[in-house]
Amino acid sequence: MTDSVDVDVVVVGAGLSGLAAARSLQRYGLRVKVFEALDRVGGRVDSATVADARVDLGGTFVGPDHDHINSLADEVGVGRYLTHEAGDNLLLWRKDRKRYRGAVPPIGATSLLDLARIRSTLERMSRRIPVGRPLDAPDAAGLDAQTLGSWLTAKHAGQATKDLMAVVCKTSWGCEPSEISLLYVLHYIAQAGGLDSMLDTRGGAQEQHFVEGSHEVAVRVADGLGADTVRLGSPVLRIDWSDDAVTVHTDDGPTTARRVIIAVPPAMRRRIRFVPELPAAHRRLSQRWSPGVLSKIYAVYDTPFWREQGLSGMTVSDEGPVFITFDASPPDASRGVLLGFIGGDYAREWDAVDADERRMRTLSALTDLFGERALEPRGYTDQRWGEEDWLGGGPTAAPGPGAVASLHARLTEPVGPIHWAGTETARRWAGFMDGAVAAGERAARETAIELTTTTHDEKASR
């Protein structure tokens, strides 16, 4: 079998997950080919230079326990620095602008008590969800039948709590609370180690940035795979498969392999024609696990002028289109960089207008937060992930009610010689760069073990 195929394993997708899979497979001594539809590597991580500042258009932050991505970055020589958080945060709430310290915005004593009640309940419920196996949770089907929004209403959450949970939804999944399965939300919280770990800066998932940008990790990993291993601009159109081999078709022709790892978002799996068809549940997964819509903006200034005012650059707003910001300035503060998120309904509306209108709305929102100096940046860019043809939306899937308990297992369940990667398939930190790398390494390990076992069986039968 080994001599009759072009390579041992084909990897579909050159995002962090696919690249991590390819890297691991090579370390197992296997021959690999990677096909990527885009004209660049990185998938949902990309970077750009704006007014001499390097900015991350996709995946940006890493936390202290993101061991897989941090180890990979260390190995390829991409450094990290702490997200700036010194100074006061800003809250724009009900037309009132307030300064505050800490993670919880000052929304009033009654609203804070209500928020604490809802957060505590979510944390308690999430601890009952088996990590990696949400379908085994008590009353999984009942939890999956609800949205986060319907649950908040049933729990009589106040409007301020609902609005803040909408900020979490827009940022994390690019959707509204009324659109996402409660079971998915609880499992997401569980696999991230709790809401604090998921949402916080210091000690949490937003603690650090990469000095050279997250995309540089992908570039260096791809470079290390060797010449002609990664084929860019080569979307996989069809995969023919049998029990022990695959033929992967691109515009350049067929490539035969013993196994294939699909490392693309679940919704993008349906862009590939499988012959024979995948099982029905796997097809339903690709239909029902669509991504949310999340966009990002960067405004670059000569200096981080907000620091002069004693501000951290971190803000929360109940107005759009920009509803949360971070200081993403380089570690030497040679430029002032504000990062803003636009997600859910805000993004659907904002994405649809032209570039000049998007810029005007964005800078107007930043001016409401930081004053007139925010109105005239030295450089500006935005990234609308929902407009990316081969990626399709936000940083991860946002499955609706009824799509998790019955379909979650299909994220990683192999089909014959077909294995699955991508951040959505990770056991921990799904939706983050760490989950992407971990998923790629897991898929490579499973594939290598399977191939090794098959080879041993073939030798024993001779």
Side-chain angles (χ1 to χ4, degrees):
M1 174 61 68
T2 302
D3 295 335
S4 64
V5 296
D6 298 315
V7 293
D8 294 307
V9 185
V10 166
V11 177
V12 180
L16 282 175
S17 201
L19 293 171
R23 188 171 187 266
S24 295
L25 289 166
Q26 285 189 343
R27 292 187 169 189
Y28 291 127
L30 297 170
R31 297 170 300 156
V32 184
K33 177 72 74 174
V34 182
F35 291 108
E36 169 55 52
L38 300 175
D39 60 1
R40 61 171 180 82
V41 299
R44 286 174 279 188
V45 297
D46 194 12
S47 300
T49 299
V50 181
D52 300 323
R54 196 68 174 162
V55 299
D56 288 317
L57 301 175
T60 302
F61 300 105
V62 290
D65 63 342
H66 290 189
D67 298 332
H68 297 273
I69 181 63
N70 288 340
S71 294
L72 182 61
D74 288 345
E75 288 183 31
V76 298
V78 178
R80 300 187 298 280
Y81 68 101
L82 291 173
T83 303
H84 180 82
E85 61 173 0
D88 293 338
N89 303 330
L90 281 178
L91 175 69
L92 184 59
W93 199 255
R94 312 302 192 242
K95 306 296 183 182
D96 190 16
R97 183 174 174 274
K98 298 179 181 179
R99 300 169 71 121
Y100 69 100
R101 293 290 178 101
V104 181
I107 55 175
T110 301
S111 294
L112 284 174
L113 287 173
D114 184 61
L115 177 63
R117 173 180 68 90
I118 292 298
R119 283 192 55 149
S120 175
T121 304
L122 286 171
E123 290 274 13
R124 185 173 66 251
M125 293 172 67
S126 73
R127 288 193 286 270
R128 302 177 65 197
I129 311 297
V131 173
R133 297 286 299 175
L135 67 164
D136 291 337
D139 191 26
L143 296 172
D144 197 27
Q146 304 173 67
T147 66
L148 175 60
S150 66
W151 179 83
L152 289 169
T153 297
K155 290 297 179 182
H156 305 290
Q159 191 58 51
T161 296
K162 289 182 176 181
D163 289 346
L164 282 174
M165 292 308 301
V167 169
V168 173
C169 262
K170 288 179 173 72
T171 309
S172 300
W173 308 294
C175 69
E176 302 298 323
S178 61
E179 298 174 306
I180 193 164
S181 161
L182 176 62
L183 178 61
Y184 182 79
V185 170
L186 293 173
H187 181 251
Y188 201 92
I189 294 169
Q191 57 92 37
L195 277 168
D196 288 344
S197 178
M198 174 178 151
L199 301 175
D200 283 358
T201 303
R202 189 60 52 88
Q206 282 67 234
E207 185 179 82
Q208 301 171 61
H209 300 252
F210 289 113
V211 175
E212 296 89 349
S214 55
H215 187 240
E216 185 64 19
V217 179
V219 170
R220 295 188 187 185
V221 172
D223 288 346
L225 295 176
D228 204 36
T229 297
V230 180
R231 296 294 297 274
L232 300 177
S234 298
V236 171
L237 309 173
R238 191 180 90 211
I239 296 176
D240 301 333
W241 61 278
S242 61
D243 288 341
D244 59 358
V246 297
T247 302
V248 177
H249 297 269
T250 69
D251 285 337
D252 294 329
T255 300
T256 58
R258 301 170 69 193
R259 296 293 185 272
V260 62
I261 294 175
I262 312 293
V264 302
M268 292 296 107
R269 296 179 183 181
R270 66 176 181 263
R271 300 286 294 270
I272 303 169
R273 181 187 175 201
F274 292 91
V275 181
E277 284 190 341
L278 296 176
H282 286 78
R283 299 199 304 272
R284 287 197 299 273
L285 174 75
S286 67
Q287 294 163 358
R288 301 198 60 191
W289 276 60
S290 297
V293 183
L294 188 66
S295 298
K296 298 177 71 175
I297 66 93
Y298 283 94
V300 180
Y301 304 88
D302 288 328
T303 64
F305 64 85
W306 48 93
R307 297 184 190 179
E308 302 167 13
Q309 305 168 26
L311 297 173
S312 67
M314 287 188 281
T315 69
V316 175
S317 173
D318 64 352
E319 300 179 4
V322 179
F323 57 87
I324 191 167
T325 70
F326 289 88
D327 183 333
S329 306
D332 63 0
S334 56
R335 288 285 184 268
V337 182
L338 286 174
L339 158 61
F341 287 90
I342 302 170
D345 286 345
Y346 288 150
R348 295 182 185 104
E349 178 185 357
W350 183 85
D351 282 6
V353 302
D354 64 33
D356 289 341
E357 178 71 11
R358 294 198 307 273
R359 178 187 171 106
M360 184 275 292
R361 294 186 187 186
T362 296
L363 295 181
S364 177
L366 294 181
T367 300
D368 289 342
L369 290 162
F370 296 103
E372 292 298 321
R373 292 178 70 179
L375 193 57
E376 296 183 0
R378 182 184 182 95
Y380 170 87
T381 193
D382 60 43
Q383 173 66 31
R384 298 175 294 161
W385 286 103
E387 301 299 307
E388 293 284 337
D389 186 45
W390 290 102
L391 295 168
T396 189
V404 180
S406 61
L407 297 174
H408 186 274
R410 306 308 187 254
L411 285 169
T412 57
E413 181 181 73
V415 178
I418 305 167
H419 292 255
W420 312 101
T423 188
E424 288 87 356
T425 72
R427 187 175 184 274
R428 281 212 68 212
W429 290 115
F432 292 79
M433 290 186 286
D434 191 64
V437 174
E441 293 171 349
R442 183 262 311 151
R445 183 169 59 252
E446 292 174 354
T447 303
I449 290 172
E450 188 175 291
L451 289 176
T452 301
T453 302
T454 301
T455 300
H456 286 168
D457 291 345
E458 289 173 350
K459 289 180 178 179
S461 65
R462 291 171 185 167

